[in-house]
Amino acid sequence: MANIILFLWELPQNLLGIAYLLVKAARGSVISRSYERNRLFVKVRHGAVSLGYFVFWSDTGGPVFSLDERNRLHEYGHTLQSRILGPLYLPIVGMPSVSRVMYAHWYYRKHKKEWQGYYRGFPENWADRLGNVKSGAV
């Protein structure tokens, strides 16, 4: 019963997570799946996003973002934000996070290097704390 209540509490994120999983699977981008910490961790070829019950992560970065195993913990931190905020997660965390990603892409196009400030600001620094991401530790 508690899992159903939590699923409903995070319903907007969970619906997006189901849709995103279907798209990633249809494109052959899913590398592996595992159930941990009451979440479904889905390793994908590129990118990372947390949508309620679903943790999409990658250790393959590109020119804009250097991703490694810490990304998995970071994305797990976002799922804890989702659990805390419920239906407010997308406007409070999702929109600022997407804005930071867009800025990081703009920064890369302008300066031809990765923006080092991505994880320093809200909501990314909060996700790192919740996910217990240690700087430099994998």
Side-chain angles (χ1 to χ4, degrees):
M1 183 63 156
N3 285 339
I4 293 170
I5 292 170
L6 289 172
F7 191 86
L8 293 173
W9 172 245
E10 300 175 88
L11 188 61
Q13 299 85 272
N14 286 325
L15 294 176
L16 287 173
I18 291 167
Y20 194 71
L21 178 59
L22 292 173
V23 168
K24 286 291 192 179
R27 291 183 176 171
S29 297
V30 174
I31 296 171
S32 65
R33 288 171 289 202
S34 62
Y35 182 77
E36 303 168 40
R37 303 179 194 180
N38 206 26
R39 299 293 186 183
L40 181 63
F41 285 77
V42 182
K43 186 174 182 182
V44 294
R45 297 202 188 284
H46 299 287
V49 65
S50 294
L51 295 165
Y53 174 77
F54 303 89
V55 180
F56 299 92
W57 69 282
S58 176
D59 59 6
T60 306
V64 178
F65 288 103
S66 299
L67 299 179
D68 58 26
E69 195 68 30
R70 287 174 294 194
N71 179 252
R72 190 172 195 278
L73 295 173
H74 173 81
E75 292 304 325
Y76 176 69
H78 279 307
T79 71
L80 298 177
Q81 292 170 327
S82 177
R83 174 94 18 112
I84 292 165
L85 297 170
L88 298 176
Y89 172 80
L90 292 174
I92 292 175
V93 172
M95 290 173 57
S97 188
V98 167
S99 297
R100 293 180 77 78
V101 168
M102 291 171 55
Y103 178 81
H105 281 273
W106 172 86
Y107 186 91
Y108 179 78
R109 282 192 307 277
K110 181 166 175 55
H111 301 284
K112 302 296 183 231
K113 64 181 181 176
E114 184 178 337
W115 175 43
Q116 297 299 309
Y118 181 77
Y119 295 99
R120 292 185 191 137
F122 180 86
E124 309 310 326
N125 55 1
W126 183 27
D128 276 353
R129 283 192 307 276
L130 290 173
N132 201 26
V133 176
K134 303 289 186 212
S135 180
V138 175

